[in-house]
mmCIF file of all heavy atoms in Angstrom:
data_model
loop_
_atom_site.group_PDB
_atom_site.id
_atom_site.type_symbol
_atom_site.label_atom_id
_atom_site.label_comp_id
_atom_site.label_asym_id
_atom_site.label_seq_id
_atom_site.Cartn_x
_atom_site.Cartn_y
_atom_site.Cartn_z
ATOM 1 N N ALA V 535 130.036 169.457 72.311
ATOM 2 C CA ALA V 535 130.485 170.757 71.794
ATOM 3 C C ALA V 535 131.252 170.619 70.493
ATOM 4 O O ALA V 535 131.184 171.513 69.633
ATOM 5 C CB ALA V 535 131.370 171.422 72.850
ATOM 6 N N GLN V 537 130.717 168.213 68.193
ATOM 7 C CA GLN V 537 129.881 167.704 67.135
ATOM 8 C C GLN V 537 129.218 168.831 66.411
ATOM 9 O O GLN V 537 128.908 169.873 66.969
ATOM 10 C CB GLN V 537 128.800 166.793 67.728
ATOM 11 C CG GLN V 537 129.284 165.478 68.303
ATOM 12 C CD GLN V 537 128.219 164.610 68.820
ATOM 13 O OE1 GLN V 537 127.035 165.041 68.827
ATOM 14 N NE2 GLN V 537 128.542 163.420 69.286
ATOM 15 N N PRO V 538 129.009 168.703 65.074
ATOM 16 C CA PRO V 538 128.317 169.764 64.339
ATOM 17 C C PRO V 538 126.902 169.840 64.706
ATOM 18 O O PRO V 538 126.207 168.885 65.035
ATOM 19 C CB PRO V 538 128.456 169.282 62.847
ATOM 20 C CG PRO V 538 128.626 167.809 62.960
ATOM 21 C CD PRO V 538 129.384 167.551 64.252
ATOM 22 N N ASN V 539 126.409 171.122 64.758
ATOM 23 C CA ASN V 539 125.029 171.391 65.152
ATOM 24 C C ASN V 539 124.109 171.048 63.959
ATOM 25 O O ASN V 539 124.018 171.798 62.978
ATOM 26 C CB ASN V 539 124.872 172.849 65.581
ATOM 27 C CG ASN V 539 123.549 173.046 66.316
ATOM 28 O OD1 ASN V 539 122.714 172.193 66.319
ATOM 29 N ND2 ASN V 539 123.406 174.235 66.902
ATOM 30 N N ARG V 540 123.470 169.851 64.033
ATOM 31 C CA ARG V 540 122.660 169.432 62.944
ATOM 32 C C ARG V 540 121.420 170.310 62.756
ATOM 33 O O ARG V 540 120.835 170.380 61.693
ATOM 34 C CB ARG V 540 122.245 167.976 63.089
ATOM 35 C CG ARG V 540 123.462 167.057 63.050
ATOM 36 C CD ARG V 540 123.027 165.596 63.244
ATOM 37 N NE ARG V 540 124.189 164.696 63.240
ATOM 38 C CZ ARG V 540 124.056 163.402 63.440
ATOM 39 N NH1 ARG V 540 122.883 162.820 63.667
ATOM 40 N NH2 ARG V 540 125.193 162.686 63.413
ATOM 41 N N ALA V 541 120.941 170.880 63.839
ATOM 42 C CA ALA V 541 119.736 171.713 63.765
ATOM 43 C C ALA V 541 119.973 172.938 62.882
ATOM 44 O O ALA V 541 119.020 173.469 62.241
ATOM 45 C CB ALA V 541 119.306 172.109 65.130
ATOM 46 N N LYS V 542 121.274 173.456 62.841
ATOM 47 C CA LYS V 542 121.548 174.653 62.019
ATOM 48 C C LYS V 542 121.420 174.366 60.548
ATOM 49 O O LYS V 542 121.262 175.266 59.755
ATOM 50 C CB LYS V 542 122.912 175.179 62.366
ATOM 51 C CG LYS V 542 123.057 175.706 63.761
ATOM 52 C CD LYS V 542 124.450 176.225 64.036
ATOM 53 C CE LYS V 542 124.577 176.772 65.482
ATOM 54 N NZ LYS V 542 125.981 177.271 65.756
ATOM 55 N N GLN V 543 121.574 173.117 60.121
ATOM 56 C CA GLN V 543 121.468 172.766 58.744
ATOM 57 C C GLN V 543 120.046 172.986 58.190
ATOM 58 O O GLN V 543 119.858 173.092 56.974
ATOM 59 C CB GLN V 543 121.912 171.326 58.475
ATOM 60 C CG GLN V 543 123.321 171.060 58.798
ATOM 61 C CD GLN V 543 123.758 169.595 58.651
ATOM 62 O OE1 GLN V 543 122.898 168.797 58.249
ATOM 63 N NE2 GLN V 543 125.016 169.309 58.942
ATOM 64 N N LEU V 544 119.072 173.007 59.072
ATOM 65 C CA LEU V 544 117.660 173.227 58.607
ATOM 66 C C LEU V 544 117.345 174.694 58.449
ATOM 67 O O LEU V 544 116.279 175.017 57.917
ATOM 68 C CB LEU V 544 116.710 172.590 59.646
ATOM 69 C CG LEU V 544 116.869 171.076 59.856
ATOM 70 C CD1 LEU V 544 115.931 170.601 60.940
ATOM 71 C CD2 LEU V 544 116.583 170.324 58.573
ATOM 72 N N ASN V 545 118.242 175.619 58.893
ATOM 73 C CA ASN V 545 117.977 177.028 58.779
ATOM 74 C C ASN V 545 118.068 177.491 57.278
ATOM 75 O O ASN V 545 118.932 176.958 56.542
ATOM 76 C CB ASN V 545 118.917 177.885 59.602
ATOM 77 C CG ASN V 545 118.690 177.593 61.101
ATOM 78 O OD1 ASN V 545 117.604 177.152 61.491
ATOM 79 N ND2 ASN V 545 119.702 177.863 61.884
ATOM 80 N N THR V 546 117.230 178.376 56.851
ATOM 81 C CA THR V 546 117.297 178.910 55.490
ATOM 82 C C THR V 546 117.483 180.435 55.563
ATOM 83 O O THR V 546 117.090 181.111 56.501
ATOM 84 C CB THR V 546 115.978 178.608 54.757
ATOM 85 O OG1 THR V 546 114.903 179.117 55.522
ATOM 86 C CG2 THR V 546 115.767 177.098 54.573
ATOM 87 N N THR V 547 118.129 180.942 54.469
ATOM 88 C CA THR V 547 118.407 182.394 54.451
ATOM 89 C C THR V 547 117.210 183.183 53.920
ATOM 90 O O THR V 547 117.049 184.366 54.249
ATOM 91 C CB THR V 547 119.586 182.661 53.546
ATOM 92 O OG1 THR V 547 119.333 182.106 52.273
ATOM 93 C CG2 THR V 547 120.847 181.989 54.140
#
Side-chain angles (χ1 to χ4, degrees):
Q537 291 180 358
N539 195 349
R540 296 179 181 178
K542 293 180 181 180
Q543 296 177 0
L544 299 175
N545 294 337
T546 57
T547 56

